[in-house]
Amino acid sequence: MLSIFQQYFNAPNQYLTSLPDGVTYGQGPFREVRLLIDGKIAGAALPYPVIFTGGLAPSLWRPISAYGAIELPAYFLDVTPFVPLLVDGNPHEFTIDVVSAENDHAILQNWYVSGLLQVITDPSSKPTTGKIIKYDAPLYAQTTITGAVASGEVNTTVTASRKLHVEAQITSGSGTKPVHVVWSQELSYSNTQLYSHNATKQVRVHFERLLTGCS
């Protein structure tokens, strides 16, 4: 099990020039935190936007602080199906990165991520063995960016979705039969932003949905 700690409202690059200077930043609002094991996607998280006290507008953190401002939420990813890969006696690389919905998947600076790997060892001195029998995980989420510019208004919508499914057969050192383990994710995301009256009026609608399963 690996837990990811992290925590956005920016305009898509193609509409940024239609807004007055200094209103917002580019690279869009979508951020996906990915976990890769040896370059393969092992799980992903859509971090909830956190507004820290003192940020943006007082109405977002007063009279009470916003969700996650005091204690950032952690996102848990089950890497059990990757055990057959990890017990081969060779070094392996765990990578956590952050990507956007832009064509180059680039983000802005000041994203700090960290992870905690939780491992349960088998009491037997015999090695754990197994094999990954199914792996379906695209490298990037499927994303769309749409919008319109008319009569002093800028309207943008960014959507994203991802499905991940990994299955493995694992036999622990003390086990006699292989155990079938499954890790799956289904993530969806939508962010709509409306700027009007020369961007002095701004409306944002943000939606995230996450379904995970393990067995």
Side-chain angles (χ1 to χ4, degrees), residues 52-87:
F52 294 103
T53 55
L56 297 182
S59 59
L60 297 175
W61 44 265
R62 199 172 61 189
I64 61 174
S65 59
Y67 169 76
I70 305 301
E71 182 177 0
L72 289 175
Y75 304 87
F76 294 91
L77 307 176
D78 190 352
V79 297
T80 302
F82 289 88
V83 166
L85 172 68
L86 301 173
V87 295

Side-chain angles (χ1 to χ4, degrees), residues 1-2 78-80 83 86-87 116-124 126 128 170 172-174:
M1 180 75 73
L2 185 125
D78 190 352
V79 297
T80 302
V83 166
L86 301 173
V87 295
L116 172 66
L117 181 62
Q118 304 173 36
V119 179
I120 299 176
T121 58
D122 189 85
S124 171
K126 297 180 180 180
T128 293
I170 300 175
S172 66
S174 59

